[in-house]
Amino acid sequence: MDFSDLPDDELWLQMQDDLYDGMKEEVTAETEEALKRGYSPTEVLEKGLVAGMDIVGVDFRDGVLFVPEVLMAANSMKSGMEILRPLLTETGAPRVGKVVIGTVKGDIHDIGKNLVAMMLEGAGFEVINLGVNVDADKFLAAIREHKPDIIGMSALLTTTMPYMKVVNQALIDERLREEVYVMAGGAPVSEAFSMAVGADAYGRDAATSVEIAKAYMESMRKQPK
Amino acid sequence: MTNRFIDLLAKSRAENSPIMVDGGMGTMLFAAGLMFGDPPEMWNALPDKQDKVRGVYRGYLEAGSQIILTNTFGGTSFRLKMHNLQDRTFELNRLGVAMAREEADKFGPDRVVAGSIGPSGELFEPMGKLTYESAVEGFARQAEGIAAGGADVFWIETMSDLQEVRAAVEGARKAAPHLPIVATMTFDTKGFTMMGVSPSQAVHELSALNLAAMGANCGNGPDELEATICAMHQTDPNVILVAKGNAGMPQLVDGRATYNATPEHMLEHARRFRAFGATIIGACCGSTPAHIKAMTEALRTLPPLDPSTVELTVPLPERKVASSDKRARRERRG
């Protein structure tokens, strides 16, 4: 796989296209090629991977792409990230923000939640994915340990959706609620339901969730808590 | 060999009458005290909970359900493994079905027991780790228990991936080749399934599986389900369609997720599902025997709606075109 003949601007487009199509080997090779040409890890992340993932996010939100395509794109993004991550840490590149995410207690559905986690990583967030069946204590412990900016809760079942309110209440009781921005999501979850459980925002889908998370981080930079 | 479900379908065809199935199981068990995180299938084996499960069956049978689904939705070995119950797959499924069999038989010889089979919760390769072969085996384990409990039909539901439906059908046939199979998918993503299957694609692909009926369940409330059923019926008017929609969307009331569609709402939708081409009609999450009773009475006593005068409230699902200029860029790929 040789991309050395492509001019720089076309290399970025090619990288975005291959990421969109879930071509893991291509994205890996293009990431290496871009680094070889002297671009910084942050530039490769922004111009190649994040730009590609942005298109995926828009088309997912608009109903052009569905879960299988997005997962394949996210996997190819991951292969590029594996190369960039150590370099990003080395160069001390600033993180967009930190998110703790999990499917709430009693619920073992994680396809949508993992999608959100991958898209957040794709947008440059550090994501601590607590997995499924996460109770309030686990959320509290993770917040104390990782000091995230945002926590994301997911539920697919009506029986488990109300547990989001339990977590929110635990945050209030433990005086941690002011420290984090709380987002809720999941197939049966609505804007109204998210507000009712006390969340700050409702993530309708993965792309929207990333947009909201970015907007929140932006507002925090302008007006720190 | 006679089969109650096949007999019911034949009767429905001869009389041109709809068939009533049941409503939500999880909704009822939660109301009966099922706690966060507990697998509903475990109640099939707990002496102090078994009567609660039977109570749900009785509630729907009394409400008029000619078919009841068993408390085995999460009974694949994949799902039970999350609770470390995978070694009890056969037993938990058999018990759940056997109780339904006993309760149904008390209401007469024509009530049908449908063994519910839900999704594995896992993704197939290359997106996930599930292989087709292991999926078939997992579904077959569950289906053996369902058949041993005395089900009349396998009822594969809430599916989003066609490959998983195929695996479940193959697993079910392995366990009990003589039992008919129904499969319904969930179209909750802009009119498509989560994995991007359209209603018409589902009809085309599921038609190759020799199913007794197919259709749609769960999703985003009855309005969207009407469009799904309409699209499926337009694809092939000869297919026997199942419409089993949620009672609206959940809202938080007193710390519980409560669906906003009342029995009165749902009875109107029942008539509309029928008009749009559904034969087997019931409900899913958020519905109760009160919803099913109202729907049953409406379909039995009110005149059928004239399909030519009934209009959809949401558009038919349509494949979207990318707003990003993909074509120009893709052509340069080697």
Side-chain angles (χ1 to χ4, degrees):
Chain A
M1 222 165 287
D2 185 12
F3 297 99
S4 56
D5 60 323
L6 280 180
D8 287 6
D9 53 343
E10 286 198 28
L11 176 68
W12 299 129
L13 292 175
Q14 188 71 51
M15 200 166 162
Q16 293 162 19
D17 270 7
D18 287 340
L19 186 140
Y20 188 100
D21 291 333
M23 317 292 277
K24 200 172 170 175
E25 282 80 24
E26 280 81 349
V27 172
T28 308
E30 286 148 1
T31 303
E32 280 162 352
E33 173 71 25
L35 288 170
K36 207 162 74 187
R37 293 186 191 185
Y39 286 99
S40 74
T42 309
E43 278 173 307
V44 180
L45 178 68
E46 296 286 326
K47 292 182 173 167
L49 300 182
V50 172
M53 214 54 194
D54 278 348
I55 306 169
V56 172
V58 168
D59 282 359
F60 182 54
R61 185 197 65 203
D62 293 347
V64 178
L65 298 181
F66 290 90
V67 168
E69 297 88 2
V70 177
L71 284 176
M72 294 307 284
N75 274 339
S76 62
M77 160 116 201
K78 225 178 186 172
S79 65
M81 272 307 282
E82 271 159 26
I83 300 166
L84 296 181
R85 193 173 288 126
L87 304 172
L88 288 167
T89 318
E90 243 171 58
T91 54
R95 290 191 192 287
V96 181
K98 205 190 260 193
V99 184
V100 161
I101 193 168
T103 303
V104 298
K105 184 180 171 186
D107 209 322
I108 58 166
H109 297 87
D110 63 355
I111 296 171
K113 182 262 300 168
N114 287 345
L115 210 56
V116 174
M118 285 192 273
M119 300 274 283
L120 283 168
E121 280 181 346
F125 281 86
E126 181 184 351
V127 179
I128 295 104
N129 191 337
L130 301 180
V132 298
N133 196 17
V134 182
D135 63 19
D137 286 345
K138 269 195 227 164
F139 272 112
L140 292 174
I143 291 167
R144 291 193 173 108
E145 186 189 340
H146 300 286
K147 311 236 175 320
D149 306 289
I150 298 169
I151 75 159
M153 293 186 282
S154 171
L156 198 81
L157 303 173
T158 44
T159 49
T160 56
M161 286 162 68
Y163 193 77
M164 294 183 179
K165 195 177 164 82
V166 175
V167 177
N168 193 69
Q169 189 58 48
L171 293 174
I172 296 168
D173 294 346
E174 296 294 315
R175 300 183 187 285
L176 289 168
R177 183 65 185 81
E178 298 300 313
E179 309 297 313
V180 289
Y181 188 70
V182 177
M183 295 180 61
V189 178
S190 61
E191 174 89 38
F193 194 92
S194 302
M195 297 305 117
V197 297
D200 295 307
Y202 162 55
R204 175 182 303 279
D205 53 57
T208 310
S209 301
V210 172
E211 280 167 23
I212 294 170
K214 276 197 212 160
Y216 170 71
M217 294 312 297
E218 192 56 37
S219 72
M220 279 299 99
R221 263 187 289 279
K222 285 182 190 143
Q223 199 174 36
K225 62 194 168 197
Chain B
M1 200 183 337
T2 63
N3 177 284
R4 289 190 203 201
F5 181 62
I6 298 298
D7 292 347
L8 195 59
L9 290 182
K11 188 164 162 263
S12 150
R13 190 181 299 259
E15 295 172 357
N16 189 27
S17 58
I19 298 169
M20 285 308 297
V21 63
D22 62 3
M25 169 62 73
T27 305
M28 298 302 293
L29 293 180
F30 191 51
L34 182 69
M35 295 305 286
F36 294 122
D38 291 346
E41 292 74 23
M42 194 57 215
W43 278 27
N44 297 338
L46 297 177
D48 60 327
K49 301 296 182 194
Q50 286 175 329
D51 203 54
K52 307 253 188 204
V53 178
R54 286 178 186 269
V56 180
Y57 294 148
R58 279 196 293 269
Y60 284 121
L61 289 161
E62 278 162 11
S65 298
Q66 293 161 280
I67 304 170
I68 54 166
L69 270 56
T70 57
N71 180 35
T72 55
F73 178 83
T76 57
S77 24
F78 306 104
R79 292 282 280 262
L80 291 175
K81 197 173 178 186
M82 307 292 290
H83 309 282
N84 208 20
L85 289 170
Q86 68 275 20
D87 294 339
R88 299 180 70 179
T89 302
F90 179 88
E91 175 207 3
L92 294 177
N93 281 285
R94 184 185 59 79
L95 287 170
V97 175
M99 286 192 286
R101 176 83 279 157
E102 282 178 24
E103 296 303 326
D105 288 352
K106 289 178 195 163
F107 283 78
D110 54 355
R111 299 291 180 116
V112 169
V113 172
S116 169
I117 297 176
S120 65
E122 299 198 16
L123 290 166
F124 279 92
E125 289 179 326
M127 296 169 288
K129 293 192 178 105
L130 193 61
T131 65
Y132 184 77
E133 292 71 28
S134 69
V136 170
E137 285 314 308
F139 285 117
R141 288 293 85 71
Q142 178 183 25
E144 283 162 8
I146 287 172
D152 301 300
V153 52
F154 290 116
W155 199 282
I156 299 162
E157 55 174 345
T158 327
M159 289 287 172
S160 60
D161 187 337
L162 284 164
Q163 186 76 340
E164 190 164 6
V165 180
R166 289 187 200 101
V169 167
E170 193 175 328
R173 290 236 161 87
K174 249 182 150 170
H178 58 286
L179 286 186
I181 301 175
V182 172
T184 66
M185 301 187 82
T186 296
F187 301 87
D188 61 355
T189 309
K190 299 174 174 73
F192 293 69
T193 74
M194 179 176 74
M195 308 307 270
V197 180
S198 71
S200 62
Q201 189 189 356
V203 169
H204 284 302
E205 307 245 359
L206 297 181
S207 290
L209 300 176
N210 192 24
L211 303 173
M214 65 180 74
N217 76 295
C218 212
N220 294 331
D223 294 311
E224 279 193 26
L225 191 78
E226 287 175 4
T228 305
I229 292 297
C230 183
M232 292 180 110
H233 186 67
Q234 282 177 2
T235 305
D236 184 353
N238 296 315
V239 163
I240 298 169
L241 290 177
V242 179
K244 216 171 176 298
N246 293 348
M249 290 294 280
Q251 296 169 324
L252 194 70
V253 179
D254 297 331
R256 293 203 159 180
T258 311
Y259 281 79
N260 60 6
T262 61
E264 290 69 37
H265 287 124
M266 290 304 282
L267 79 82
E268 270 315 306
H269 286 293
R271 301 177 74 201
R272 292 167 58 86
F273 292 146
R274 181 71 179 142
F276 285 120
T279 298
I280 303 174
I281 296 167
C284 199
C285 303
S287 64
T288 63
H291 292 84
I292 296 301
K293 188 163 189 277
M295 294 167 81
T296 307
E297 279 170 8
L299 288 171
R300 281 207 189 122
T301 58
L302 298 175
L305 297 172
D306 177 358
S308 65
T309 65
V310 185
E311 281 177 26
L312 289 174
T313 51
V314 298
L316 287 170
E318 222 182 313
R319 193 69 70 180
K320 302 284 192 302
V321 181
S323 52
S324 54
D325 181 20
K326 266 186 71 201
R327 178 180 288 274
R329 291 186 284 112
R330 275 185 154 189
E331 274 171 0
R332 287 183 293 95
R333 275 192 52 207

